[in-house]
PDB file of all heavy atoms in Angstrom:
ATOM      1  N   VAL K 370     -14.610  30.871 -11.137  1.00 98.00           N
ATOM      2  CA  VAL K 370     -15.889  30.190 -11.332  1.00 98.00           C
ATOM      3  C   VAL K 370     -16.960  30.882 -10.498  1.00 98.00           C
ATOM      4  O   VAL K 370     -16.816  30.991  -9.274  1.00 98.00           O
ATOM      5  CB  VAL K 370     -15.800  28.720 -10.867  1.00 98.00           C
ATOM      6  CG1 VAL K 370     -17.130  28.001 -11.119  1.00 98.00           C
ATOM      7  CG2 VAL K 370     -14.654  27.997 -11.567  1.00 98.00           C
ATOM      8  N   ALA K 371     -18.032  31.334 -11.158  1.00 98.00           N
ATOM      9  CA  ALA K 371     -19.158  31.891 -10.403  1.00 98.00           C
ATOM     10  C   ALA K 371     -20.141  30.790 -10.039  1.00 98.00           C
ATOM     11  O   ALA K 371     -20.699  30.775  -8.945  1.00 98.00           O
ATOM     12  CB  ALA K 371     -19.859  32.966 -11.220  1.00 98.00           C
ATOM     13  N   ILE K 372     -20.337  29.879 -10.968  1.00 98.00           N
ATOM     14  CA  ILE K 372     -21.243  28.752 -10.730  1.00 98.00           C
ATOM     15  C   ILE K 372     -20.903  27.635 -11.705  1.00 98.00           C
ATOM     16  O   ILE K 372     -20.456  27.890 -12.826  1.00 98.00           O
ATOM     17  CB  ILE K 372     -22.727  29.172 -10.878  1.00 98.00           C
ATOM     18  CG1 ILE K 372     -23.663  28.043 -10.421  1.00 98.00           C
ATOM     19  CG2 ILE K 372     -23.061  29.609 -12.283  1.00 98.00           C
ATOM     20  CD1 ILE K 372     -25.126  28.465 -10.364  1.00 98.00           C
ATOM     21  N   GLY K 373     -21.120  26.408 -11.274  1.00 98.00           N
ATOM     22  CA  GLY K 373     -20.932  25.260 -12.166  1.00 98.00           C
ATOM     23  C   GLY K 373     -19.469  24.897 -12.332  1.00 98.00           C
ATOM     24  O   GLY K 373     -18.684  24.977 -11.398  1.00 98.00           O
ATOM     25  N   GLY K 374     -19.146  24.496 -13.521  1.00 96.00           N
ATOM     26  CA  GLY K 374     -17.764  24.106 -13.798  1.00 96.00           C
ATOM     27  C   GLY K 374     -17.582  22.606 -13.794  1.00 96.00           C
ATOM     28  O   GLY K 374     -16.479  22.099 -13.997  1.00 96.00           O
ATOM     29  N   GLY K 375     -18.682  21.864 -13.569  1.00 96.00           N
ATOM     30  CA  GLY K 375     -18.540  20.404 -13.509  1.00 96.00           C
ATOM     31  C   GLY K 375     -19.782  19.693 -14.011  1.00 96.00           C
ATOM     32  O   GLY K 375     -20.540  20.204 -14.838  1.00 96.00           O
ATOM     33  N   GLN K 376     -19.965  18.515 -13.429  1.00 96.00           N
ATOM     34  CA  GLN K 376     -21.062  17.643 -13.818  1.00 96.00           C
ATOM     35  C   GLN K 376     -22.038  17.626 -12.645  1.00 96.00           C
ATOM     36  O   GLN K 376     -21.596  17.498 -11.504  1.00 96.00           O
ATOM     37  CB  GLN K 376     -20.474  16.245 -14.005  1.00 96.00           C
ATOM     38  CG  GLN K 376     -21.224  15.356 -14.913  1.00 96.00           C
ATOM     39  CD  GLN K 376     -20.553  13.980 -14.969  1.00 96.00           C
ATOM     40  OE1 GLN K 376     -19.391  13.798 -14.610  1.00 96.00           O
ATOM     41  NE2 GLN K 376     -21.307  13.004 -15.391  1.00 96.00           N
ATOM     42  N   PRO K 377     -23.339  17.759 -12.889  1.00 96.00           N
ATOM     43  CA  PRO K 377     -24.255  17.746 -11.745  1.00 96.00           C
ATOM     44  C   PRO K 377     -24.241  16.378 -11.048  1.00 96.00           C
ATOM     45  O   PRO K 377     -24.107  15.351 -11.711  1.00 96.00           O
ATOM     46  CB  PRO K 377     -25.613  18.022 -12.375  1.00 96.00           C
ATOM     47  CG  PRO K 377     -25.457  17.706 -13.819  1.00 96.00           C
ATOM     48  CD  PRO K 377     -24.018  17.885 -14.172  1.00 96.00           C
ATOM     49  N   LYS K 378     -24.404  16.403  -9.750  1.00 93.00           N
ATOM     50  CA  LYS K 378     -24.320  15.145  -8.970  1.00 93.00           C
ATOM     51  C   LYS K 378     -25.602  14.321  -9.097  1.00 93.00           C
ATOM     52  O   LYS K 378     -25.607  13.126  -8.870  1.00 93.00           O
ATOM     53  CB  LYS K 378     -24.117  15.465  -7.476  1.00 93.00           C
ATOM     54  CG  LYS K 378     -22.959  16.397  -7.180  1.00 93.00           C
ATOM     55  CD  LYS K 378     -21.620  15.670  -7.108  1.00 93.00           C
ATOM     56  CE  LYS K 378     -20.460  16.630  -6.916  1.00 93.00           C
ATOM     57  NZ  LYS K 378     -20.251  17.574  -8.049  1.00 93.00           N
ATOM     58  N   SER K 379     -26.708  14.995  -9.457  1.00 92.00           N
ATOM     59  CA  SER K 379     -28.011  14.363  -9.298  1.00 92.00           C
ATOM     60  C   SER K 379     -28.404  13.374 -10.398  1.00 92.00           C
ATOM     61  O   SER K 379     -29.497  12.825 -10.359  1.00 92.00           O
ATOM     62  CB  SER K 379     -29.079  15.448  -9.179  1.00 92.00           C
ATOM     63  OG  SER K 379     -28.788  16.479 -10.089  1.00 92.00           O
ATOM     64  N   PHE K 380     -27.536  13.149 -11.383  1.00 96.00           N
ATOM     65  CA  PHE K 380     -27.902  12.223 -12.458  1.00 96.00           C
ATOM     66  C   PHE K 380     -26.953  11.026 -12.478  1.00 96.00           C
ATOM     67  O   PHE K 380     -25.741  11.196 -12.513  1.00 96.00           O
ATOM     68  CB  PHE K 380     -27.858  12.929 -13.810  1.00 96.00           C
ATOM     69  CG  PHE K 380     -28.816  14.077 -13.904  1.00 96.00           C
ATOM     70  CD1 PHE K 380     -28.416  15.361 -13.559  1.00 96.00           C
ATOM     71  CD2 PHE K 380     -30.135  13.880 -14.297  1.00 96.00           C
ATOM     72  CE1 PHE K 380     -29.295  16.422 -13.618  1.00 96.00           C
ATOM     73  CE2 PHE K 380     -31.019  14.939 -14.363  1.00 96.00           C
ATOM     74  CZ  PHE K 380     -30.606  16.217 -14.015  1.00 96.00           C
ATOM     75  N   ALA K 381     -27.530   9.836 -12.442  1.00 94.00           N
ATOM     76  CA  ALA K 381     -26.707   8.628 -12.466  1.00 94.00           C
ATOM     77  C   ALA K 381     -26.146   8.391 -13.859  1.00 94.00           C
ATOM     78  O   ALA K 381     -25.122   7.761 -14.039  1.00 94.00           O
ATOM     79  CB  ALA K 381     -27.532   7.436 -12.018  1.00 94.00           C
ATOM     80  N   ARG K 382     -26.832   8.873 -14.863  1.00 97.00           N
ATOM     81  CA  ARG K 382     -26.385   8.695 -16.243  1.00 97.00           C
ATOM     82  C   ARG K 382     -26.907   9.853 -17.088  1.00 97.00           C
ATOM     83  O   ARG K 382     -27.735  10.639 -16.644  1.00 97.00           O
ATOM     84  CB  ARG K 382     -26.844   7.349 -16.793  1.00 97.00           C
ATOM     85  CG  ARG K 382     -28.308   7.148 -16.611  1.00 97.00           C
ATOM     86  CD  ARG K 382     -28.794   5.766 -16.907  1.00 97.00           C
ATOM     87  NE  ARG K 382     -30.248   5.848 -16.971  1.00 97.00           N
ATOM     88  CZ  ARG K 382     -31.025   5.006 -17.617  1.00 97.00           C
ATOM     89  NH1 ARG K 382     -30.498   4.009 -18.281  1.00 97.00           N
ATOM     90  NH2 ARG K 382     -32.327   5.155 -17.621  1.00 97.00           N
ATOM     91  N   GLY K 383     -26.438   9.896 -18.323  1.00 98.00           N
ATOM     92  CA  GLY K 383     -26.829  10.988 -19.208  1.00 98.00           C
ATOM     93  C   GLY K 383     -25.725  12.026 -19.279  1.00 98.00           C
ATOM     94  O   GLY K 383     -24.947  12.185 -18.352  1.00 98.00           O
ATOM     95  N   TYR K 384     -25.698  12.742 -20.397  1.00 98.00           N
ATOM     96  CA  TYR K 384     -24.586  13.673 -20.674  1.00 98.00           C
ATOM     97  C   TYR K 384     -24.870  15.073 -20.121  1.00 98.00           C
ATOM     98  O   TYR K 384     -24.805  16.066 -20.841  1.00 98.00           O
ATOM     99  CB  TYR K 384     -24.322  13.712 -22.175  1.00 98.00           C
ATOM    100  CG  TYR K 384     -24.098  12.342 -22.776  1.00 98.00           C
ATOM    101  CD1 TYR K 384     -24.788  11.936 -23.915  1.00 98.00           C
ATOM    102  CD2 TYR K 384     -23.202  11.445 -22.196  1.00 98.00           C
ATOM    103  CE1 TYR K 384     -24.593  10.674 -24.467  1.00 98.00           C
ATOM    104  CE2 TYR K 384     -23.004  10.177 -22.732  1.00 98.00           C
ATOM    105  CZ  TYR K 384     -23.703   9.800 -23.864  1.00 98.00           C
ATOM    106  OH  TYR K 384     -23.506   8.557 -24.403  1.00 98.00           O
ATOM    107  N   TYR K 385     -25.211  15.121 -18.850  1.00 98.00           N
ATOM    108  CA  TYR K 385     -25.552  16.401 -18.232  1.00 98.00           C
ATOM    109  C   TYR K 385     -24.291  17.146 -17.793  1.00 98.00           C
ATOM    110  O   TYR K 385     -23.369  16.530 -17.255  1.00 98.00           O
ATOM    111  CB  TYR K 385     -26.431  16.175 -17.006  1.00 98.00           C
ATOM    112  CG  TYR K 385     -27.807  15.642 -17.336  1.00 98.00           C
ATOM    113  CD1 TYR K 385     -28.050  14.264 -17.352  1.00 98.00           C
ATOM    114  CD2 TYR K 385     -28.856  16.504 -17.641  1.00 98.00           C
ATOM    115  CE1 TYR K 385     -29.311  13.761 -17.658  1.00 98.00           C
ATOM    116  CE2 TYR K 385     -30.114  16.009 -17.952  1.00 98.00           C
ATOM    117  CZ  TYR K 385     -30.337  14.644 -17.956  1.00 98.00           C
ATOM    118  OH  TYR K 385     -31.587  14.149 -18.272  1.00 98.00           O
ATOM    119  N   VAL K 386     -24.274  18.439 -18.009  1.00 98.00           N
ATOM    120  CA  VAL K 386     -23.221  19.274 -17.415  1.00 98.00           C
ATOM    121  C   VAL K 386     -23.886  20.461 -16.723  1.00 98.00           C
ATOM    122  O   VAL K 386     -25.014  20.841 -17.069  1.00 98.00           O
ATOM    123  CB  VAL K 386     -22.196  19.794 -18.445  1.00 98.00           C
ATOM    124  CG1 VAL K 386     -21.400  18.655 -19.074  1.00 98.00           C
ATOM    125  CG2 VAL K 386     -22.867  20.637 -19.518  1.00 98.00           C
ATOM    126  N   GLU K 387     -23.181  21.018 -15.764  1.00 98.00           N
ATOM    127  CA  GLU K 387     -23.742  22.147 -15.028  1.00 98.00           C
ATOM    128  C   GLU K 387     -23.699  23.412 -15.872  1.00 98.00           C
ATOM    129  O   GLU K 387     -22.703  23.653 -16.566  1.00 98.00           O
ATOM    130  CB  GLU K 387     -22.909  22.399 -13.759  1.00 98.00           C
ATOM    131  CG  GLU K 387     -23.084  21.335 -12.711  1.00 98.00           C
ATOM    132  CD  GLU K 387     -22.138  21.571 -11.533  1.00 98.00           C
ATOM    133  OE1 GLU K 387     -21.019  22.052 -11.727  1.00 98.00           O
ATOM    134  OE2 GLU K 387     -22.552  21.246 -10.412  1.00 98.00           O
ATOM    135  N   PRO K 388     -24.746  24.234 -15.780  1.00 98.00           N
ATOM    136  CA  PRO K 388     -24.624  25.568 -16.360  1.00 98.00           C
ATOM    137  C   PRO K 388     -23.452  26.257 -15.667  1.00 98.00           C
ATOM    138  O   PRO K 388     -23.378  26.259 -14.433  1.00 98.00           O
ATOM    139  CB  PRO K 388     -25.948  26.253 -16.035  1.00 98.00           C
ATOM    140  CG  PRO K 388     -26.682  25.357 -15.102  1.00 98.00           C
ATOM    141  CD  PRO K 388     -26.018  24.020 -15.098  1.00 98.00           C
ATOM    142  N   THR K 389     -22.542  26.781 -16.465  1.00 98.00           N
ATOM    143  CA  THR K 389     -21.265  27.240 -15.919  1.00 98.00           C
ATOM    144  C   THR K 389     -21.016  28.696 -16.284  1.00 98.00           C
ATOM    145  O   THR K 389     -21.159  29.071 -17.453  1.00 98.00           O
ATOM    146  CB  THR K 389     -20.141  26.349 -16.483  1.00 98.00           C
ATOM    147  OG1 THR K 389     -20.376  25.001 -16.048  1.00 98.00           O
ATOM    148  CG2 THR K 389     -18.773  26.815 -16.021  1.00 98.00           C
ATOM    149  N   ILE K 390     -20.676  29.482 -15.274  1.00 98.00           N
ATOM    150  CA  ILE K 390     -20.328  30.890 -15.534  1.00 98.00           C
ATOM    151  C   ILE K 390     -18.919  31.143 -15.017  1.00 98.00           C
ATOM    152  O   ILE K 390     -18.649  31.014 -13.822  1.00 98.00           O
ATOM    153  CB  ILE K 390     -21.328  31.845 -14.851  1.00 98.00           C
ATOM    154  CG1 ILE K 390     -22.755  31.588 -15.362  1.00 98.00           C
ATOM    155  CG2 ILE K 390     -20.919  33.301 -15.089  1.00 98.00           C
ATOM    156  CD1 ILE K 390     -23.840  32.377 -14.622  1.00 98.00           C
ATOM    157  N   PHE K 391     -18.027  31.476 -15.916  1.00 98.00           N
ATOM    158  CA  PHE K 391     -16.686  31.938 -15.540  1.00 98.00           C
ATOM    159  C   PHE K 391     -16.672  33.465 -15.589  1.00 98.00           C
ATOM    160  O   PHE K 391     -17.275  34.053 -16.490  1.00 98.00           O
ATOM    161  CB  PHE K 391     -15.632  31.388 -16.508  1.00 98.00           C
ATOM    162  CG  PHE K 391     -15.436  29.901 -16.412  1.00 98.00           C
ATOM    163  CD1 PHE K 391     -15.795  29.064 -17.468  1.00 98.00           C
ATOM    164  CD2 PHE K 391     -14.891  29.330 -15.267  1.00 98.00           C
ATOM    165  CE1 PHE K 391     -15.622  27.686 -17.377  1.00 98.00           C
ATOM    166  CE2 PHE K 391     -14.715  27.948 -15.168  1.00 98.00           C
ATOM    167  CZ  PHE K 391     -15.079  27.126 -16.219  1.00 98.00           C
ATOM    168  N   TYR K 392     -15.982  34.101 -14.628  1.00 98.00           N
ATOM    169  CA  TYR K 392     -15.888  35.568 -14.687  1.00 98.00           C
ATOM    170  C   TYR K 392     -14.438  35.999 -14.509  1.00 98.00           C
ATOM    171  O   TYR K 392     -13.559  35.176 -14.253  1.00 98.00           O
ATOM    172  CB  TYR K 392     -16.823  36.216 -13.662  1.00 98.00           C
ATOM    173  CG  TYR K 392     -16.447  36.017 -12.213  1.00 98.00           C
ATOM    174  CD1 TYR K 392     -15.924  37.070 -11.459  1.00 98.00           C
ATOM    175  CD2 TYR K 392     -16.625  34.783 -11.587  1.00 98.00           C
ATOM    176  CE1 TYR K 392     -15.589  36.892 -10.124  1.00 98.00           C
ATOM    177  CE2 TYR K 392     -16.287  34.605 -10.261  1.00 98.00           C
ATOM    178  CZ  TYR K 392     -15.765  35.659  -9.535  1.00 98.00           C
ATOM    179  OH  TYR K 392     -15.425  35.478  -8.228  1.00 98.00           O
ATOM    180  N   ASP K 393     -14.226  37.305 -14.657  1.00 98.00           N
ATOM    181  CA  ASP K 393     -12.859  37.838 -14.745  1.00 98.00           C
ATOM    182  C   ASP K 393     -12.095  37.118 -15.857  1.00 98.00           C
ATOM    183  O   ASP K 393     -10.914  36.777 -15.699  1.00 98.00           O
ATOM    184  CB  ASP K 393     -12.105  37.709 -13.412  1.00 98.00           C
ATOM    185  CG  ASP K 393     -12.576  38.735 -12.379  1.00 98.00           C
ATOM    186  OD1 ASP K 393     -13.514  39.509 -12.703  1.00 98.00           O
ATOM    187  OD2 ASP K 393     -12.023  38.766 -11.271  1.00 98.00           O
ATOM    188  N   VAL K 394     -12.775  36.889 -16.955  1.00 98.00           N
ATOM    189  CA  VAL K 394     -12.140  36.202 -18.093  1.00 98.00           C
ATOM    190  C   VAL K 394     -11.429  37.243 -18.945  1.00 98.00           C
ATOM    191  O   VAL K 394     -11.965  38.324 -19.192  1.00 98.00           O
ATOM    192  CB  VAL K 394     -13.204  35.468 -18.944  1.00 98.00           C
ATOM    193  CG1 VAL K 394     -12.551  34.770 -20.127  1.00 98.00           C
ATOM    194  CG2 VAL K 394     -13.996  34.484 -18.094  1.00 98.00           C
ATOM    195  N   ASP K 395     -10.222  36.914 -19.360  1.00 98.00           N
ATOM    196  CA  ASP K 395      -9.524  37.775 -20.300  1.00 98.00           C
ATOM    197  C   ASP K 395      -9.930  37.346 -21.705  1.00 98.00           C
ATOM    198  O   ASP K 395     -10.034  36.149 -21.976  1.00 98.00           O
ATOM    199  CB  ASP K 395      -8.012  37.622 -20.113  1.00 98.00           C
ATOM    200  CG  ASP K 395      -7.266  38.700 -20.876  1.00 98.00           C
ATOM    201  OD1 ASP K 395      -7.088  38.559 -22.112  1.00 98.00           O
ATOM    202  OD2 ASP K 395      -6.891  39.703 -20.237  1.00 98.00           O
TER     203      ASP K 395
END
Side-chain angles (χ1 to χ4, degrees):
V370 182
I372 189 172
Q376 205 182 342
K378 307 277 176 296
S379 41
F380 299 91
R382 52 190 193 156
Y384 307 130
Y385 292 92
V386 295
E387 289 175 326
T389 298
I390 301 173
F391 292 113
Y392 68 107
D393 285 2
V394 179
D395 191 280

